[in-house]
Amino acid sequence: MYELHFGVPMAGAILCALNTRHDSAMVSVLLKHSEAKILFVDQQLYHIAHGALQILSKTSSNLPLVILVLDSQSIVVGNTTAPSRGELEYESFLETGKLDFEVKRPKDELDPISVNYTSGTTSSPKGVVYSHRGAYLNSLATVLLNEMGSMPVYLWTVPMFHCNGWCMTWGVAAQGGTNVCLRDVTAKSIFRIVAEYRVTHMGAAPTVLSMMINAPSCDQKPLPGKVVVMTGAAPPPPQVLFKMESLGFMVVHSYGLTEVYGAGTICAWKPEWDDLPPDTRATLRARQGVPHLGLERLDVMDPITMRSVPSDAKTIGEVMFRGNTVMRRYLKDLKATQEAFKGGWFHSGDLAVRHTDGYIELKDRSKDIIISGGENISTIEVESVLFSHPGVLEAAVVGRPDEHWGEMPCAFVKLKDGFDHVTSEEIIAFCRDKLPHYMAPKTVVFGDLPKTSTGKTQKYILREKAKAMGSLSHKKPSKL
Amino acid sequence: MYELHFGVPMAGAILCALNTRHDSAMVSVLLKHSEAKILFVDQQLYHIAHGALQILSKTSSNLPLVILVLDSQSIVVGNTTAPSRGELEYESFLETGKLDFEVKRPKDELDPISVNYTSGTTSSPKGVVYSHRGAYLNSLATVLLNEMGSMPVYLWTVPMFHCNGWCMTWGVAAQGGTNVCLRDVTAKSIFRIVAEYRVTHMGAAPTVLSMMINAPSCDQKPLPGKVVVMTGAAPPPPQVLFKMESLGFMVVHSYGLTEVYGAGTICAWKPEWDDLPPDTRATLRARQGVPHLGLERLDVMDPITMRSVPSDAKTIGEVMFRGNTVMRRYLKDLKATQEAFKGGWFHSGDLAVRHTDGYIELKDRSKDIIISGGENISTIEVESVLFSHPGVLEAAVVGRPDEHWGEMPCAFVKLKDGFDHVTSEEIIAFCRDKLPHYMAPKTVVFGDLPKTSTGKTQKYILREKAKAMGSLSHKKPSKL
């Protein structure tokens, strides 16, 4: 996958890295939509690709050429270790290349370099088109916000199919770095590899950080030196940032989405924050911050009037982006593209406030926010209180219908091992102690949380569950 | 000067920073050529500006508005501490600004941001036009090649009028850094300030490095931590790099010229060089290297056929540049612009070879190279041998006419204090010991070297001196 991030654009083609957790049906849809000409597939995923091609062959006679990547060091699944008829093996395919091949540079710097299908938490996947210009600028900006000097050692836990690995695929090469890849993203492997390869930088979604800090201490190997961890993709709970720093990691918090090439902002650290108490520092670190050096404009606006919200840390608006590191368009979806760029800015769908220093802080996805008795409740805020409970491993809050208030917060919680004794009442009391009462969950449900393939909690599933529980009813309005 | 690097472009104007060592006559020529509308002048240079305006007033009635910068901490020269009629004082001028002023962004990213007049070692000064796009990209590339993380402390010994401070004016701001400026560039001040302000990065021409390493050890204060020094502007003698590293500095060697916004290449360090002997490391560090991350193409070509020279470390060609970080044009000089871009590449006028690993190494300016008996003699190579002599502080080599060979190397040498006993014969013998005999100087002249205002040796003056000495004559060809 890493090599293809260079070989494909240099051959004048467009890269379309697919999510490794998609099933055959989804892969067939994306192969068709992207009109892929060549399909590179790792042996571990051969059965998915095979299934996808079978589906595709029913409606199309133009199947992509399949090139199978065999890895002698990897676990072989099934009997798919050798390419069958009509397929090529990757290394043999490379040998057919010419050493004097002249790189096919883009005719225009705005020509596409890649298409990234969004993970689709809500709707059908959309193909986000990246340009050479945008990818170049976001790679450099991401290198800079990662404090990445020359010759870093980068550990991949962020999938390269996710915004082309937050553009770090190209960024690590720009800095002459070493890439360390792992097939099993477990805390034990991560700590072992960080120590063994003297990793200097890594990226990880908050859910991976959560896994790392909650690993048994025997798995938590000492760090070999300064290790910068960039996190993003979902708002990281301050508690998670705090614990990562206690383990010695230097956490860089960045925010963005597929449509802005991965990272778009950076919570640039201020020297005057150094002397604050650790939990205050973690709260500040959890802010999404300011635009990075590749982005032209970041704003929080009323999506109807397109006016900026005041920097009062209170007024909620939608996060908007403009500049080179914003996608060109959704592939073959003019309507969605126009919708996304209404008013000349890219609408992120994320709700945020702006602090007096200009730093933005996400409050919710626009579809996730709970409106209770006319008040906005940021599910992120409630979740970050839940995360500060010692027994909570994962938490997600959605609205549950309420006869009187419209909606009430409902928490889905996964407890840590050894905390099975924790009750709903205890969680609710814990929240009421730390939040305005109307923000505290009225319902707590224990269990695993449904996740997307990129590790984001699928709140729409939880919302359906909460809806299925029925409305909370009241003889008289609850005392808040 | 630093503030103007932001205020001027944000006002939609073009910055033209003038060399502080120009005399009134030159300043008047440049004010006229650039059609400057406003002249900001530091009190220390008021007499120069005043003289320039007097000259200008003889041929023009459109004199620029003068804004005088007073600095209570600086030495006041003459009685020019208060603005006279028709002039404004800088701080009062700033107070007339409006807080809600809307930044005037460029209409096109290729619009000019600044004009930089070249120091003119050979011809009349040329106004090199920088674009917003180029300045942005070169600033980021220079930050990256300086290994500059966030919040650096940058010491200015590189003048900000020189390629806008190698674009570090904007680069330091991009990284949220602190700028430390000094009026007297002496080794003592530099070491003191580096320690006092905990400087992390600085830039310095080789001549400043030379001054630093040759300072009395009582002036050489211990470094406060890792200090990155970027050097360039002239090929640094390996001996100088070696001694800087011995003092604990991390030297970054970059090469470029005004027309490529300052830095254009980086001698990117390779891990396999770490274990080589120190003098070999210094020789490798002295190579000009590879293009930086903002430059599209760097090549060494025959300027007539425009074909690349082989990577054989032997064949000399001219260094050529292409890309965003190459100037737009020379202001009002179409002929010089066309000449400079013949064949679609910017011709640097520098001669170099390319090593097998692709790294380039400068051999000479095309006008400086000595041709002796049909052989090219790189004056840079001869100079680097001279620099390795313990008594040599500065050295420059030019061709002296020779009846038989055409030209023979002639060395101009400035000796260190306490080395007055060193003779020409000793220097010549020293060189013959370390170089092919035909490359060793036949003549050695002791004394100060003439310098341009940016610290480059003015070889054309030395060439005239060498010419004035007359031809070396031979009864019979010397034995080489």
Side-chain angles (χ1 to χ4, degrees), chain B residues 215-236:
Chain B
S217 58
C218 59
D219 288 349
Q220 293 176 338
K221 295 269 182 310
L223 305 186
K226 185 173 143 188
V227 183
V228 175
V229 182
M230 173 173 156
T231 194

Side-chain angles (χ1 to χ4, degrees), chain B residues 25 37 59-60 65 68 88 127-128 178 182 223 231 233 259 274 304 309-310 321 325 367 369 388 391 407 437 473:
Chain B
K37 300 285 182 292
T59 58
S60 168
L65 171 68
L68 183 60
L88 288 170
V128 177
T178 302
L182 81 178
L223 305 186
T231 194
E259 287 85 343
D274 280 342
I304 307 302
V309 301
F321 294 89
T325 58
K367 62 191 177 307
I369 201 153
S388 70
E407 281 183 304
H437 287 186
S473 61

Side-chain angles (χ1 to χ4, degrees), chain B residues 378-424:
Chain B
S378 156
T379 61
I380 294 173
E381 271 179 54
V382 184
E383 286 157 11
S384 86
V385 168
L386 287 166
F387 268 105
S388 70
H389 185 286
V392 172
L393 181 66
E394 291 175 352
V397 173
V398 298
R400 178 178 171 185
D402 183 285
E403 281 185 359
H404 185 78
W405 300 105
E407 281 183 304
M408 280 291 209
C410 170
F412 290 81
V413 168
K414 182 175 180 180
L415 293 170
K416 290 181 193 169
D417 288 346
F419 282 87
D420 294 343
H421 59 273
V422 175
T423 63
S424 315

